[in-house]
Amino acid sequence: MKSEKILLAAAVFYFGIAGAQQSQYFAQRENYRFNLAENLYQTKIYNASQYEYARQYFYNQNLSRSKKEAAQFFDQVIGVILQKNHAEEGLTAFIKEYPNSAYFAQANLPLADYYLAKKDFDKALETLGKVNQYQLSKEENTQYILKLGYAKFMTGDSKGATDALEEAYKSADESQRGDIAYMLGHLYYSNRQNDQAFRYFDSIKDQPKYSKLVRPYYVQMYYNDKDYDKAIAEGNALLNEDISESYKAEVHKIIGESYFMKNEYAEAYPHLKDYLSVQQNPSENDLYEMGFVAAQLKKYDEAVSYYNQLINSNSALAQNAYYQLGNAYLAVDKKQEALSAFRSSYQMDYDAKVKRLAHEQYAKLSYDIGNPFESASTVIQNYITQNPNASNLAEMRSMLVKSYLYSGNYKETLNAIDRLQNSSRDIDKIDQEVSYLLGTEEFNKGNYDEAEKYFLRSLEFNINKEFYNRALYWLAQVYYQQGNYPSAISRYEKLLNENFPEKQQLPYDLGYAYFKAKKFDLAQTYFKQYLTNPKPEF
């Protein structure tokens, strides 16, 4: 019996020791696996690390609360890093379960990466703002600043992005500097700070990774600096290299615009044409530029086709396009179409100079071919009123005179003449003839005082001899009707040796004038003279 107790005690002792050893073995093994998960995370072997953390969280019954918290946290963080489905929700659930967790700080950088990958830049920026830089290693700090700069750039904070990337550039190693230099170059380029952009691009332009990326910037920056010859040279060199079609089109555009700015339109034409040929939705500016170049090369029909693509909009460019379209139509003698185009340009108020030029052409064409929209004289008078200091005012006033004349509005013709600062022989001739015509109108109405005024005005000129003689004859008739017979006789006698349509009637009129003046002998003389060649109707 005693021996059995000894054996039982020995067995209990043995198995107790063995169980304790086995329990210790399992505990050590689980600690090893937890440490393995940590090491895998640090070396960025994320899938294996997540597997180990998840295993610890779900199956290690002896895991302490702090390690259980850590296992759940890193399981969720790795899900975010690997951008697995519902990773963000998992991390949110962890935050709710452990609202005061010390691990939160370690979640911010991976979570920021997640938001950056999802292009949720506002959330990325918010998350990066929670990072404590002082807890980061040098490499982590550089990555942090780089991500901060990128997020700021994508949210429109150009200055904040530049400041962050400048700081990152200073601390970055050579493997990271190239990317940062490229981003800084792009930022400075976007802000038209070409000197700074050149500085960063120059540092990477000879590296194969960046060469093809930065050279188009050089072409554009030379163009922006108005160094068109360099832009053309750099662009042509770039066209000879293996670049994408989209890059090639942009380079053609810059070369074409450089030639355009040098007024070398023949050289600009093929480059702008190549660029437009691959554009599904060309901009208004591209169409205007191509139309202008085509017009300069006398390719007017082609110019019209480009301008016509612009005229459905209402903008400064459309106003300019209408004006150029009018010029193109004029060049191919389509005056009616030109009139409409100039009218549309004139009716827009974006550019005062273009408005004035279009108004001028609209007025001239209205005078030349007529205007279905409004009278030519109204268009011309509006031009004069709206442009009182225009250098061509004398020309436009002269045109106004003629427009009134051709429309039969004689009184406005004389009013327009009166507003002229300087006259000409051509205008004086119109003045003479129109005054005569107005005089006859008033005479026929019995308005002798008005008729006298117009005839006297007409007689101030002797450019058209026939009109001069007729005005003198009808002025004599006015005086006869007013009972001023001496004045009538004086004018009649001046015409005795002249030729004019009413000459046959002159002896008859003189006879009656002398008769009314009671000079019967002279009256008898002129009546006899008249009877030798009387007018058939008398």
Side-chain angles (χ1 to χ4, degrees):
M1 178 66 81
K2 186 176 181 180
S3 62
E4 289 177 358
K5 288 182 177 179
I6 293 171
L7 288 172
L8 178 61
V12 169
F13 177 78
Y14 172 78
F15 284 110
I17 294 294
Q21 288 177 337
Q22 188 177 41
S23 177
Q24 184 179 6
Y25 166 74
F26 280 115
Q28 288 175 347
R29 187 176 70 172
E30 292 307 320
N31 282 336
Y32 165 76
R33 299 192 76 91
F34 190 90
N35 292 334
L36 176 62
E38 287 184 333
N39 290 332
L40 290 169
Y41 179 81
Q42 294 298 329
T43 53
K44 299 183 180 180
I45 306 174
Y46 292 121
N47 278 311
S49 177
Q50 187 179 37
Y51 170 79
E52 292 297 340
Y53 276 127
R55 186 180 181 283
Q56 290 295 305
Y57 180 77
F58 289 109
Y59 300 113
N60 187 350
Q61 302 299 320
N62 298 316
L63 204 62
S64 67
R65 178 174 172 79
S66 64
K67 285 190 174 181
K68 194 175 185 69
E69 179 185 338
Q72 185 182 0
F73 169 75
F74 284 108
D75 178 24
Q76 301 303 331
V77 166
I78 292 170
V80 169
I81 293 173
L82 298 178
Q83 299 183 39
K84 292 188 175 181
N85 291 335
H86 311 298
E88 186 180 2
E89 291 89 333
L91 198 56
T92 302
F94 173 84
I95 291 170
K96 287 182 179 179
E97 185 173 349
Y98 299 98
N100 300 313
S101 176
Y103 292 105
F104 286 164
Q106 299 181 54
N108 289 320
L109 275 178
L111 194 55
D113 286 338
Y114 174 80
Y115 289 133
L116 287 172
K118 295 289 186 183
K119 301 191 186 311
D120 191 342
F121 300 110
D122 289 323
K123 278 194 174 182
L125 204 55
E126 179 185 344
T127 306
L128 288 166
K130 299 174 183 177
V131 173
N132 187 344
Q133 279 185 264
Y134 297 107
Q135 294 179 347
L136 303 177
S137 66
K138 181 180 178 182
E139 181 182 352
E140 287 175 334
N141 191 59
T142 301
Q143 284 296 317
Y144 160 75
I145 297 171
L146 183 59
K147 292 167 186 175
L148 183 65
Y150 176 60
K152 286 187 175 183
F153 172 70
M154 295 307 292
T155 54
D157 183 2
S158 181
K159 185 180 186 308
T162 303
D163 292 343
L165 291 170
E166 286 278 15
E167 184 180 346
Y169 187 79
K170 293 173 185 175
S171 59
D173 58 33
E174 287 302 317
S175 64
Q176 297 173 318
R177 279 196 164 194
D179 288 343
I180 301 173
Y182 175 73
M183 292 177 68
L184 280 168
H186 176 80
L187 280 168
Y188 282 122
Y189 160 80
S190 299
N191 292 328
R192 295 296 182 103
Q193 295 175 265
N194 288 349
D195 289 342
Q196 288 288 78
F198 275 125
R199 181 165 74 89
Y200 284 105
F201 284 144
D202 284 346
S203 69
I204 57 174
K205 69 178 181 180
D206 295 325
Q207 297 179 31
K209 179 181 177 181
Y210 305 104
S211 178
K212 289 181 181 179
L213 290 174
V214 302
R215 288 186 66 186
Y217 285 96
Y218 279 82
V219 182
Q220 183 67 63
M221 287 191 295
Y222 286 137
Y223 176 83
N224 291 345
D225 286 345
K226 299 183 180 179
D227 193 343
Y228 302 123
D229 290 330
K230 277 190 178 180
I232 292 167
E234 185 73 24
N236 281 324
L238 196 56
L239 288 177
N240 293 325
E241 298 193 6
D242 182 22
I243 58 175
S244 69
E245 290 302 314
S246 59
Y247 267 137
K248 190 172 289 186
E250 290 298 326
V251 173
H252 274 301
K253 175 180 170 66
I254 298 170
I255 295 173
E257 289 183 343
S258 296
Y259 279 124
F260 181 91
M261 298 306 293
K262 288 165 59 96
N263 299 328
E264 296 178 11
Y265 302 117
E267 290 76 10
Y269 180 82
H271 291 286
L272 295 176
K273 190 88 169 175
D274 283 344
Y275 170 74
L276 271 185
S277 68
V278 297
Q279 302 304 307
Q280 291 185 343
N281 297 299
S283 71
E284 289 187 349
N285 190 69
D286 294 333
L287 292 168
Y288 174 80
E289 203 167 55
M290 193 70 235
F292 185 87
V293 168
Q296 297 303 308
L297 300 178
K298 302 188 185 308
K299 299 176 184 288
Y300 297 114
D301 289 332
E302 186 177 344
V304 166
S305 72
Y306 288 120
Y307 289 137
N308 269 323
Q309 296 179 60
L310 292 171
I311 60 177
N312 291 324
S313 63
N314 194 325
S315 64
L317 200 60
Q319 181 186 19
N320 224 320
Y322 271 118
Y323 174 68
Q324 297 297 347
L325 179 62
N327 287 330
Y329 276 132
L330 272 184
V332 292
D333 203 32
K334 293 183 177 181
K335 292 184 177 180
Q336 192 60 55
E337 291 86 345
L339 177 80
S340 296
F342 286 131
R343 179 173 181 261
S344 295
S345 179
Y346 151 64
Q347 289 176 329
M348 296 183 186
D349 296 318
Y350 296 101
D351 188 317
K353 181 180 179 181
V354 173
K355 182 181 179 73
R356 179 180 61 77
L357 291 171
H359 196 174
E360 178 183 352
Q361 294 289 16
Y362 178 49
K364 289 180 176 178
L365 277 173
S366 297
Y367 171 75
D368 183 22
I369 64 171
N371 188 326
F373 308 108
E374 53 193 321
S375 71
S377 53
T378 299
V379 178
I380 300 168
Q381 182 59 65
N382 287 341
Y383 177 87
I384 293 169
T385 302
Q386 294 171 22
N387 302 280
N389 300 315
S391 59
N392 65 339
L393 214 57
E395 176 192 4
M396 299 305 288
R397 287 193 184 281
S398 174
M399 191 182 299
L400 178 64
V401 169
K402 295 174 184 177
S403 72
Y404 282 128
L405 174 65
Y406 299 149
S407 67
N409 192 340
Y410 298 140
K411 288 187 177 180
E412 283 302 325
T413 302
L414 292 188
N415 288 337
I417 290 174
D418 289 338
R419 289 193 292 268
L420 292 175
Q421 293 182 344
N422 298 297
S423 189
S424 65
R425 182 177 176 81
D426 186 35
I427 295 299
D428 289 345
K429 182 173 181 291
I430 293 172
D431 196 341
Q432 178 191 8
E433 294 172 1
V434 168
S435 296
Y436 164 76
L437 293 171
L438 281 170
T440 58
E441 282 185 8
E442 296 300 330
F443 183 90
N444 291 330
K445 294 176 185 177
N447 298 329
Y448 301 120
D449 290 341
E450 284 294 303
E452 178 188 12
K453 179 182 72 175
Y454 286 120
F455 288 136
L456 287 172
R457 175 166 179 160
S458 180
L459 289 168
E460 292 177 8
F461 310 98
N462 193 7
I463 299 170
N464 185 325
K465 187 66 174 177
E466 179 181 320
F467 272 80
Y468 183 86
N469 290 335
R470 298 187 75 182
L472 188 59
Y473 170 79
W474 285 102
L475 179 62
Q477 292 282 49
V478 166
Y479 291 142
Y480 179 87
Q481 295 296 330
Q482 292 173 333
N484 186 354
Y485 304 118
S487 291
I489 292 169
S490 171
R491 270 70 181 179
Y492 286 141
E493 287 183 337
K494 289 180 179 180
L495 294 167
L496 289 172
N497 296 318
E498 302 292 343
N499 290 313
F500 57 99
E502 293 85 359
K503 178 67 179 287
Q504 187 178 1
Q505 181 75 7
L506 185 59
Y508 178 86
D509 295 322
L510 265 170
Y512 261 106
Y514 277 120
F515 181 82
K516 290 288 187 179
K518 302 187 184 306
K519 295 183 179 181
F520 303 116
D521 291 343
L522 290 172
Q524 184 181 33
T525 299
Y526 282 108
F527 281 140
K528 286 181 178 179
Q529 183 179 336
Y530 173 71
L531 289 173
T532 62
N533 184 27
K535 294 179 72 175
E537 58 266 36
F538 294 108

